[in-house]
Amino acid sequence: MKSCMECTPALRAKFPLFAFLVLLVLGGCSDPATLGLELAPENNQIGVFYKEIPLDAQVVLLDSFNTTNAGILIVGDEQDSYFGKTRSLAYTRLHIEQGSERPRSDALLDSVFFNLSAVSVNGTDLDKKKEYAVHLLSQPLMDTLYYNFSKLPYQANPIAQVEIIFKNTKDTLLKAPLNSVVAGEMFGKLKRGIEFDNLFSFRKYLPGVAIVPREGDNTTAGFSLGNNTGITFFYHYTGDTTVKKYSITTLSSRSFNGIESDRRGTPTEVVRDYQRSYSTGATVGMKSGLGLAIRLDTSPLDAFLDTLKGVVFNQVTLQLGPIEEQDKGQTPISGMVMKFIDSKNRVFLSSINKAELHLQGDGQIQVIEDEKGKKVPNNFFPSSSLLGYEPAAKLQRAGISSYMNSLYKKELQRKDWLLYAITPSTGDDFNRSMRQFKVKKDKVVVTVIYSKSK
C-alpha cells in the first residue's frame, strides 16, 4: 500500500472521494508535520487533511441542582444497568381562583378526579399499564429553593391513582378517581367550610400533593402544570340536569422534582461526591434529572495544534457515538451545550457580566472586547454551539470549526468542557426530564478537516 504522499493523480481519479479517504486511512500519514489524511494533494499549493482526535470522557454528578418551578412535573421509576435505579417524584402546591363560584349547600356530588396532563413520556414497554398515584403532603412546600435531592413527607395512602397504556401517545389526560371518603370530606368543605374562603386558608387545609410512580414501571412521564392538572369536582342540583364543575388546579403553583438514585452494583457506583470527575470504565453516560453530566478532557487539542503551521480549519466536529441502542419508547438527550470548566469542574464565568461561558457555534464571534478593550470569550448564550442528536446515525454532533480556528490563532485559551443538557429554545433538560444516553469512550472524538499551504 502506498503512503498518502505517494498516491498518483491517475490512481486517485479512479476512486470517489469516500473510497479515497478509506484508502488513505489504510495507508496512513507518517509525517508528524502533516498529521491527518491528505484529501486533495493534486493541488500543489494547498493540501487538505483529515484527523481524528479522541477525547477522554468522565462523568460528573452536579451539585445543588435546582428543580424549583421547572414548569413540568417529572414522575418516573427507571432501572438501567449503567445508571442503576432512578426514581423521580413530583411535589406541587394546589391553587384555587379567588371568587370562583362554589357549590351551594344543597349541591349533590357526581364525581371527583385528579387530572394529570401528560406532555411527555419516555420509557420501555409502553404497551403495558403504567400507574401513577397522588398523595397528600404531610407538610407544605415553603417559599424556598428545592433541589433534585430534596423530598417532602407525604401520607402513606394515596387519594387517587390511575393506570394507563401510553403506546405511542405522548400527550394525554389521565383521570384518576379521587378516593370516595376524601372526595366526600373535601366536597363538604368546598360547600360550607372556611377552607375555601381564600388561598391561604386553602393551602393550610391542603398543603399540596406528591405524585408517585409505580415501582418497576421503567417509564417517566412529564405532567404540565396549569389548569389541566389538578382536582375537578362534578356536581348538580336536585331537579337540574345541568352538570357543574369546580376546579382546583396547579396554576401558579410552586413545585419541584425530587430524584432518588441507587447506583449499587453498576459502573456508576463509584460516583459518590458532587462535582468530582469519575471514570466508569469503557462507557460513559449522561442522565437528566439525576444531574449526571460528561466532562471532556480537551488537552489532546493542544498537542495537535502544536504540530501545525499555516493551516485553516475547514470543518471541525465534536462527535459522540453511535450511542448505545435504546428502547423504541425512549428518546435520548437531544440538545447539549459545552461549558468551559476548570480542573474542579467549576464553570468559568465571563469577566464582563459573570455569565457562564460556553463554546460558541460555527460562524459566531468567539471573542469580544471588554470595556477596557481586552479580548475575552464571547458570553452570549443563545449563540452557543449545540450538540444535536441525529437519530439515523445515532450520533451526538456539533460543529466547532470557528472555535478551533480561534484556538489556533491564540485568541482563546483552551479549556475542558462540561456537556450540559440545555438549549436556548427548549430550556434546561436537566430539570425537565430523566432522559439519558450512553456511549463508548472510544467513540468520543473531534474530527478535523483542515487546509495547509505548502
Side-chain angles (χ1 to χ4, degrees):
M1 177 66 68
K2 294 186 177 182
S3 72
C4 61
M5 301 304 294
E6 295 173 318
C7 296
T8 66
L11 176 60
R12 288 190 295 270
K14 296 180 181 180
F15 291 88
L17 179 58
F18 178 78
F20 184 50
L21 283 174
V22 174
L23 178 63
L24 289 176
V25 171
L26 296 175
C29 288
S30 58
D31 182 359
T34 56
L35 289 174
L37 303 179
E38 191 174 1
L39 301 183
E42 63 272 14
N43 185 327
N44 59 10
Q45 297 299 318
I46 299 294
V48 180
F49 301 84
Y50 174 84
K51 176 70 176 177
E52 287 190 358
I53 307 171
L55 300 183
D56 183 56
Q58 295 184 314
V59 298
V60 180
L61 186 63
L62 302 180
D63 190 14
S64 301
F65 193 68
N66 183 9
T67 64
T68 310
N69 294 341
I72 190 168
L73 305 174
I74 302 302
V75 187
D77 185 277
E78 299 182 1
Q79 185 72 41
D80 183 89
S81 59
Y82 179 83
F83 298 105
K85 183 178 177 61
T86 313
R87 191 168 165 83
S88 178
L89 277 64
Y91 304 83
T92 182
R93 288 172 175 170
L94 297 171
H95 177 79
I96 58 172
E97 287 291 343
Q98 198 74 32
S100 294
E101 181 183 354
R102 292 165 58 179
R104 302 194 308 261
S105 58
D106 60 336
L108 302 174
L109 181 63
D110 295 322
S111 58
V112 189
F113 297 93
F114 198 106
N115 301 316
L116 295 166
S117 180
V119 293
S120 64
V121 180
N122 203 57
T124 63
D125 299 323
L126 296 183
D127 56 345
K128 297 180 180 178
K129 290 181 179 180
K130 312 297 179 181
E131 184 181 276
Y132 301 91
V134 182
H135 297 251
L136 290 176
L137 293 179
S138 301
Q139 67 181 53
L141 277 76
M142 307 301 290
D143 291 329
T144 186
L145 294 179
Y146 291 93
Y147 299 89
N148 63 332
F149 52 77
S150 301
K151 61 175 66 177
L152 290 174
Y154 54 85
Q155 295 180 11
N157 296 321
I159 62 170
Q161 53 194 123
V162 62
E163 287 186 328
I164 183 172
I165 298 176
F166 287 110
K167 289 188 177 180
N168 297 322
T169 302
K170 302 295 184 181
D171 53 343
T172 187
L173 187 66
L174 284 63
K175 300 179 68 174
L178 217 64
N179 175 279
S180 59
V181 175
V182 175
E185 177 200 323
M186 200 177 296
F187 192 63
K189 303 286 188 184
L190 177 58
K191 290 193 292 183
R192 296 178 293 271
I194 61 172
E195 291 82 358
F196 285 80
D197 283 351
N198 56 66
L199 188 57
F200 296 103
S201 297
F202 169 72
R203 284 184 175 160
K204 187 175 181 180
Y205 169 58
L206 284 180
V209 296
I211 306 171
V212 181
R214 181 168 60 190
E215 187 171 356
D217 274 354
N218 213 28
T219 293
T220 297
F223 301 113
S224 67
L225 289 157
N227 289 323
N228 293 326
T229 294
I231 304 172
T232 303
F233 295 85
F234 295 95
Y235 63 94
H236 72 281
Y237 296 104
T238 302
D240 186 351
T241 59
T242 304
V243 176
K244 298 181 176 295
K245 72 175 183 178
Y246 181 91
S247 296
I248 300 171
T249 72
T250 50
L251 188 70
S252 305
S253 295
R254 194 173 194 81
S255 66
F256 74 93
N257 301 310
I259 308 295
E260 302 169 1
S261 175
D262 182 357
R263 298 184 290 277
R264 290 176 296 180
T266 72
T268 54
E269 182 179 25
V270 298
V271 182
R272 300 182 182 276
D273 299 328
Y274 294 111
Q275 297 301 127
R276 284 189 57 190
S277 303
Y278 291 91
S279 175
T280 57
T283 299
V284 290
M286 190 164 170
K287 189 170 182 68
S288 293
L290 177 59
L292 195 67
I294 292 177
R295 174 197 176 94
L296 297 184
D297 176 6
T298 63
S299 58
L301 299 183
D302 277 347
F304 171 62
L305 293 175
D306 287 346
T307 67
L308 303 178
K309 290 183 180 180
V311 304
V312 173
F313 296 98
N314 306 317
Q315 181 176 306
V316 186
T317 305
L318 171 63
Q319 178 176 299
L320 286 72
I323 66 170
E324 290 193 11
E325 193 74 30
Q326 294 184 328
D327 187 274
K328 64 178 181 179
Q330 292 178 314
T331 301
I333 292 172
S334 302
M336 294 175 282
V337 297
M338 291 155 274
K339 297 185 178 185
F340 293 135
I341 53 174
D342 64 14
S343 61
K344 295 183 179 179
N345 297 312
R346 295 173 299 198
V347 180
F348 283 100
L349 304 180
S350 170
S351 59
I352 296 177
N353 61 357
K354 303 304 179 183
E356 291 186 337
L357 291 175
H358 305 76
L359 191 153
Q360 297 293 299
D362 277 350
Q364 304 296 329
I365 297 173
Q366 301 294 309
V367 294
I368 56 178
E369 291 187 354
D370 63 15
E371 57 184 11
K372 296 181 180 179
K374 179 182 177 182
K375 288 187 176 181
V376 296
N378 187 359
N379 60 4
F380 190 50
F381 173 67
S383 60
S384 300
S385 179
L386 297 181
L387 271 158
Y389 180 61
E390 301 173 12
K394 292 183 168 51
L395 294 176
Q396 305 276 7
R397 188 149 47 187
I400 58 171
S401 306
S402 298
Y403 168 78
M404 198 72 159
N405 273 307
S406 188
L407 205 61
Y408 178 64
K409 296 174 184 176
K410 301 188 183 304
E411 295 174 336
L412 287 174
Q413 183 179 357
R414 180 197 58 80
K415 307 293 184 185
D416 289 337
W417 305 331
L418 181 77
L419 306 188
Y420 190 96
I422 189 174
T423 72
S425 59
T426 60
D428 192 336
D429 193 70
F430 266 40
N431 63 19
R432 295 175 59 85
S433 86
M434 285 214 297
R435 293 193 297 175
Q436 65 186 46
F437 72 87
K438 293 171 286 186
V439 65
K440 296 297 183 184
K441 287 179 68 172
D442 61 1
K443 299 298 182 183
V444 181
V445 298
V446 170
T447 62
V448 187
I449 298 176
Y450 62 98
S451 301
K452 179 179 179 182
S453 300
K454 293 185 177 181

